[in-house]
Amino acid sequence: MTFALPHALTSVAASIPSPSVSYIDLGPLRIHFYALCIIAGIIVAVLLTNSRLTKRGAEPWVVIDIALLAVPIAIVGARIFHVATHPGFYFGEGTDIWAIFRIWEGGIAIYGALIGGAVGALLGCRWTGIRFWTFADALAPGLLIAQALGRFGNWFNQELYGLPTDLPWGLEIDANNPAFPPGLPEGTLFHPTFLYEVIWNLLGAAVLLWAGRRFVLQWGRLFGLYLIWYSAGRIVWESIRIDPSEIYLGLRTNVWAAILGVIIGIVIMIVQKRRHPGLEPSPYMPGRAWAPEGAVQSQGADDFVDVSEPPAAEVGLATSTDTDTATSTVTPASKVTAE
């Protein structure tokens, strides 16, 4: 890909500098700032999700049990998605297939992380008894903050920037950077797409926290709003990026992924609203409720009712067919299936 750029775009005084280093060496150990940004995002997401789950009545720090499965699988999924959508980086003449495993050089895909993380979260929720959608809603604001922090890793790596620009916040990229577009003069500035996404994600986290309280979005609807918000912004940022990408029907792979993300988010919000018009009775699945040590419960762990559905007795049912609805007199705990 080559560009022809007027000289005027290379003479802008104001700009955003890129870091001159992307790692530090501590003896034989090399620490990449890209990894530190990802780790910082994970920590913030865990802390915020723990706070939100605890307020809902979940056991403190149960989020760690879920994260132990979700985070590693999310990272693997993110890398697989990136490799699958950028095959030219790793396969073919002149490439190094072993670069697939050098994740510290960059190259993890958010949508791959969402797919892998969802699988890990499902397993973790079944393990802990937390409802999957309760966990997803609690995670959503923290996930946006984590993604914002992770984007600073792209800044340190001088990667994933946008088209040339003469805007005062244009991003400086070293001319000797392998990703620097051929045909452009040294000093060319680029759209700082990492910064656009940081601002969009932090604003989105604030919107989600507000909307969750204002409209009491439960049963996965807050996570659906997350998908809509993040993906809508990603469609814009991805459309102005100039890093290599597979193109289908004129659009980059990740633009299609973002469009699909918006659609899935809308479907989740509509379907879950119809399925569950009421509030979640508990952050736990039937039969898996947790209570603080020494607490006295007025009813058994299996005695809560999903208020989003009519009680079975009112419709003449002997048993419940909704796996989110169970009482100790209707469905034995041993026969309740996980959500």
Side-chain angles (χ1 to χ4, degrees), residues 23-55:
Y23 61 85
I24 56 175
D25 289 324
L26 297 177
L29 181 64
R30 174 163 291 183
I31 300 176
H32 291 263
F33 296 136
Y34 182 87
L36 293 180
C37 291
I38 299 295
I39 292 171
I42 292 172
I43 292 174
V44 170
V46 167
L47 291 174
L48 183 55
T49 304
N50 174 70
S51 174
R52 289 168 55 78
L53 277 178
T54 302
K55 289 178 180 178

Side-chain angles (χ1 to χ4, degrees), residues 68-189:
L68 288 174
L69 288 171
V71 171
I73 299 177
I75 293 174
V76 172
R79 188 60 171 177
I80 291 175
F81 193 97
H82 167 75
V83 172
T85 54
H86 296 79
F89 288 10
Y90 308 98
F91 306 102
E93 186 178 354
T95 61
D96 179 10
I97 193 171
W98 297 107
I100 290 175
F101 303 100
R102 295 199 292 269
I103 193 171
W104 56 86
E105 295 179 351
I108 58 174
I110 296 300
Y111 289 106
L114 290 175
I115 295 171
V119 172
L122 277 169
L123 296 174
C125 286
R126 289 180 178 273
W127 178 23
T128 60
I130 294 288
R131 294 176 186 265
F132 172 76
W133 288 122
T134 302
F135 174 76
D137 287 339
L139 172 66
L143 188 54
L144 275 174
I145 297 175
Q147 289 171 264
L149 294 175
R151 280 305 178 196
F152 283 102
N154 300 134
W155 180 51
F156 279 105
N157 280 1
Q158 296 194 34
E159 60 184 2
L160 308 187
Y161 42 85
L163 292 165
T165 181
D166 59 353
L167 292 171
W169 54 81
L171 179 66
E172 300 175 14
I173 298 295
D174 293 339
N176 60 358
N177 187 315
F180 194 91
L184 292 182
E186 183 177 353
T188 299
L189 303 180

Side-chain angles (χ1 to χ4, degrees), residues 141 144 199-209 229:
L144 275 174
I199 295 172
W200 181 254
N201 287 352
L202 293 179
L203 178 61
V207 169
L208 261 62
L209 289 170
W229 181 276

